[in-house]
Amino acid sequence: MSFTSFVWEIGNISNKSSRKRHRLRRGQAHITPEASSSSSPGSPGSSTVQIEQRQWANLPPELLLDIIQRVEQREQCWPGRRDVVTCASVCQSWREITKDIVKTPELCGFLTFPISLKQPGPRDTPIQCFIRRERATSTFRLYMGLSPGNFSIFLGENVCSDSCELSKLLLAAKRVRRATGTDFVISLVGDDFSRSSNKYVGKLRSNFLGTKFNIFDSQPSKDSTVCSSCESCRKTHPGKVAPRVTTSNNNTAKISYELNILRTRGPRRMQCIMNSIPVSAIEGGTAPTPTAFTNCLDEHSSPLLDSAGRRPQVGSTSRSMQNVPLVLKNKAPRWHEQLQCWCLNFKGRVTVASVKNFQLVAAVEPSENVTITEQENVILQFGKIGKDIFTMDYCYPLSAFQAFAICLSSFDTKPVCE
């Protein structure tokens, strides 16, 4: 059996298991007698899948490790990266070994599992993505890939649609207008934006003027007190029905756009306070890196802010860089006399002039002792390349979710900022 056929056979077994689980979920709202339950050990369908999975689970660990390492090293991009996910879905032993082999985006530069979207990107080379806006449905889709040589494929709407279908969908957002502002609900899929769904990952909320935004993450911060209280709330008596659990929102960032009441000429000015990322992350430190999706019931503020929600004073000797949140600002463009416009060097990743284009760098104070090189390093850049098509490149310490949410703020109407 060739190595490719071997991987395909593993995928077929995984698909049988997923289809079996899907049939079981369809009737979960009804009470079924134990004797007729399709999940019983004597069920022919379940026994077949269990026998097939047991055959793969009994492989020697050394052989299994070598197989998964070969798959992981061979498939460096999507859609081939799907084979790595297939290996993790065979059985528990395969899943544990795959999780140990696959590194975080910071170390390997790849997005493999859904949790990778909540983990910081690589430090050296940014991860290149693109966003497609669908005006009719008020949705925004984040896809993996798109190099400068492929910009020409987005000149036509039909070609653009076909190309997006061949790309890897990472995240999707839907704009929901409220009386006091706008919400962008972010999901792992493009057709389910319910907060009660397990596909929900967070949201972006704006004020009435569209000048201030808050990024809410479904992933709780590393606060043991809050998480322990949540676990105690979830414990119920065995004879009682547990209440419906709603997903929490952890305020991880604040975005503000500078008002332009005098209508002076110039680009937008924005600032992002990353509550969950310390400023030390850009100078050899580390940013929070979750390893699994967890939800907490209580909404809480980040430990990097004080009780009043203010940023700690950097000059205080009792504060350290670990307790100071990272602040990002848009890189100031230069005025081009011949073109009569503001210009930024996007290194070929942006081709259309737009008020939405921006680059974010670290905004640090002299007392924070951050080198000039780190201050000039572009952490996130966003720009237009065609009708309703935008590129998004991000690197450490931002995650794909955080970068996507910041870019979504640029799509909201800002009449007092332009």
Side-chain angles (χ1 to χ4, degrees):
M1 179 185 297
S2 64
F3 186 73
T4 304
S5 302
F6 179 76
V7 174
W8 275 106
E9 185 172 347
I10 296 173
N12 292 333
I13 295 174
S14 176
N15 292 335
K16 290 180 181 179
S17 303
S18 62
R19 286 196 297 268
K20 184 66 181 176
R21 290 192 296 268
H22 177 68
R23 288 195 297 269
L24 296 177
R25 286 197 298 267
R26 287 190 301 181
Q28 64 184 2
H30 304 278
I31 300 176
T32 306
E34 282 189 14
S36 62
S37 175
S38 61
S39 60
S40 60
S43 176
S46 61
S47 61
T48 303
V49 174
Q50 290 175 0
I51 292 174
E52 290 178 341
Q53 288 190 345
R54 193 180 303 118
Q55 293 175 350
W56 297 111
N58 292 333
L59 287 177
E62 296 79 7
L63 176 60
L64 183 57
L65 180 65
D66 179 66
I67 292 173
I68 299 179
Q69 283 180 340
R70 289 175 61 187
V71 175
E72 201 275 336
Q73 294 173 1
R74 187 191 65 175
E75 306 297 347
Q76 301 293 328
C77 59
W78 290 90
R81 199 75 178 164
R82 187 185 298 116
D83 294 341
V84 181
V85 181
T86 300
C87 291
S89 59
V90 173
C91 59
Q92 185 67 28
S93 60
W94 284 61
R95 183 179 300 111
E96 295 302 325
I97 294 180
T98 305
K99 289 170 60 177
D100 293 338
I101 293 176
V102 177
K103 305 301 181 183
T104 62
E106 176 190 356
L107 301 177
C108 68
F110 305 123
L111 298 174
T112 306
F113 301 115
I115 193 61
S116 302
L117 302 172
K118 294 292 187 75
Q119 297 172 341
R123 293 181 181 268
D124 300 327
T125 304
I127 293 181
Q128 298 181 341
C129 312
F130 72 96
I131 299 174
R132 180 188 178 193
R133 174 176 58 183
E134 298 180 1
R135 298 176 184 265
T137 58
S138 298
T139 57
F140 305 84
R141 302 176 187 272
L142 177 67
Y143 293 92
M144 183 69 189
L146 186 61
S147 62
N150 295 330
F151 283 176
S152 58
I153 66 176
F154 292 99
L155 296 179
E157 293 185 5
N158 296 332
V159 179
C160 170
S161 177
D162 296 338
S163 301
C164 290
E165 291 178 358
L166 296 176
S167 302
K168 171 60 180 175
L169 176 65
L170 300 179
L171 292 169
K174 185 175 182 63
R175 178 162 51 192
V176 180
R177 298 194 181 276
R178 303 177 294 107
T180 57
T182 304
D183 281 355
F184 291 85
V185 183
I186 305 176
S187 172
L188 291 172
V189 295
D191 55 357
D192 186 2
F193 297 97
S194 173
R195 283 192 57 191
S196 60
S197 171
N198 59 355
K199 305 299 182 183
Y200 172 80
V201 294
K203 69 179 180 181
L204 174 73
R205 170 166 290 184
S206 74
N207 62 354
F208 179 75
L209 296 177
T211 58
K212 295 185 182 299
F213 296 81
N214 288 283
I215 300 176
F216 296 97
D217 192 349
S218 63
Q219 196 84 4
S221 63
K222 295 183 179 180
D223 191 338
S224 58
T225 304
V226 175
C227 291
S228 61
S229 65
C230 293
E231 292 297 328
S232 62
C233 293
R234 293 178 184 177
K235 294 179 181 179
T236 57
H237 192 273
K240 297 182 180 180
V241 178
R244 181 181 179 183
V245 178
T246 57
T247 307
S248 70
N249 287 314
N250 174 37
N251 193 338
T252 60
K254 298 179 182 293
I255 308 171
S256 60
Y257 287 82
E258 185 177 323
L259 296 177
N260 189 12
I261 302 177
L262 300 178
R263 315 292 292 181
T264 57
R265 195 177 184 182
R268 294 174 178 174
R269 295 181 178 88
M270 63 185 298
Q271 185 183 69
C272 304
I273 301 178
M274 309 305 298
N275 300 336
S276 59
I277 303 177
V279 68
S280 60
I282 63 174
E283 191 67 24
T286 58
T289 306
T291 57
F293 283 102
T294 56
N295 290 327
C296 221
L297 292 178
D298 299 333
E299 295 190 3
H300 52 280
S301 59
S302 169
L304 295 180
L305 298 180
D306 59 17
S307 57
R310 297 187 300 266
R311 183 184 181 186
Q313 295 294 327
V314 179
S316 176
T317 56
S318 61
R319 306 281 185 178
S320 65
M321 292 181 66
Q322 289 289 343
N323 296 325
V324 179
L326 173 66
V327 178
L328 305 177
K329 65 176 181 179
N330 63 307
K331 191 174 183 178
R334 62 180 180 85
W335 178 255
H336 199 289
E337 289 294 341
Q338 295 180 348
L339 300 178
Q340 290 294 299
C341 64
W342 297 95
C343 296
L344 278 172
N345 182 15
F346 289 95
K347 299 181 180 179
R349 292 283 294 163
V350 178
T351 58
V352 180
S354 174
V355 69
K356 298 178 177 62
N357 301 346
F358 66 80
Q359 290 180 332
L360 292 185
V361 296
V364 296
E365 300 179 13
S367 57
E368 293 173 348
N369 298 323
V370 178
T371 62
I372 301 298
T373 303
E374 293 294 340
Q375 296 180 31
E376 294 295 325
N377 181 40
V378 176
I379 298 176
L380 169 64
Q381 75 172 20
F382 171 78
K384 190 173 184 180
I385 62 172
K387 183 179 180 182
D388 296 327
I389 299 294
F390 303 80
T391 59
M392 186 195 85
D393 302 341
Y394 75 97
C395 60
Y396 197 89
L398 291 183
S399 66
F401 165 74
Q402 293 168 335
F404 184 45
I406 294 174
C407 294
L408 288 175
S409 68
S410 186
F411 286 106
D412 202 25
T413 305
K414 303 171 180 60
V416 297
C417 300
E418 301 172 358

